[in-house]
Amino acid sequence: MKIKIKIKKGFLFMPPIHYFVLSIVITISVASGNLISNYVSAKYAAYELRQELAKAEEEAALIAAMRAENNAKAQKIRTEHEEKERTNSKKGISLKRSCSDWKRMNAQKDSEVSRKEMKRSCDAYLRYIKTGR
């Protein structure tokens, strides 16, 4: 028994020009798909980069604020230490004694001269404690 197979012209058996057009269409489709994929990937990478940059800027601002706060605390500690040293120095003790003497004098004799001298003496003491001058 012989079996005969008939092959009909159809999709699988196109003329050669159709294969060429089909291969060009497929090539263009794949190339454009790759270009679109690359474009989308680049946009997404740029978006992530912007997000990381914003986060880094926020962290930098936080670090700068912390550094400024630490500097302010350190300056305050230095100032307090300097004021304490001036208070305990010979000149500081002398100015404090003069201020308290004039306060006592003003309490005993409430006069214009004693008020002015008390103010001048106590202002000199406070100025020396705060500025060292």
Side-chain angles (χ1 to χ4, degrees), residues 12-70:
L12 293 175
F13 302 102
M14 293 188 282
I17 190 77
H18 292 297
Y19 288 119
F20 180 71
V21 170
L22 184 62
S23 66
I24 288 178
V25 168
I26 291 172
T27 303
I28 290 172
S29 299
V30 170
S32 64
N34 285 340
L35 289 174
I36 292 170
S37 173
N38 288 342
Y39 177 77
V40 170
S41 295
K43 286 293 184 178
Y44 182 71
Y47 169 76
E48 283 186 337
L49 185 62
R50 281 192 297 274
Q51 294 296 321
E52 289 297 320
L53 182 61
K55 190 187 299 184
E57 287 174 349
E58 184 178 308
E59 289 175 1
L62 180 62
I63 289 171
M66 289 173 60
R67 182 176 293 143
E69 183 181 334
N70 287 342

Side-chain angles (χ1 to χ4, degrees), residues 64-122:
M66 289 173 60
R67 182 176 293 143
E69 183 181 334
N70 287 342
N71 287 344
K73 285 179 183 178
Q75 180 61 37
K76 182 179 177 185
I77 290 171
R78 276 193 300 272
T79 302
E80 288 173 355
H81 180 71
E82 289 171 354
E83 287 177 0
K84 187 175 181 180
E85 282 184 347
R86 288 186 202 119
T87 301
N88 295 329
S89 70
K90 288 181 182 181
K91 186 174 181 179
I93 292 170
S94 172
L95 288 170
K96 184 177 182 178
R97 186 177 299 131
S98 174
C99 175
S100 62
D101 287 346
W102 278 109
K103 280 182 181 179
R104 244 182 284 117
M105 178 62 74
N106 189 47
Q108 290 173 0
K109 294 182 179 181
D110 190 19
S111 68
E112 185 68 27
V113 173
S114 64
R115 269 193 302 277
K116 283 183 180 178
E117 285 300 315
M118 178 188 72
K119 182 174 177 0
R120 186 188 62 76
S121 178
C122 292

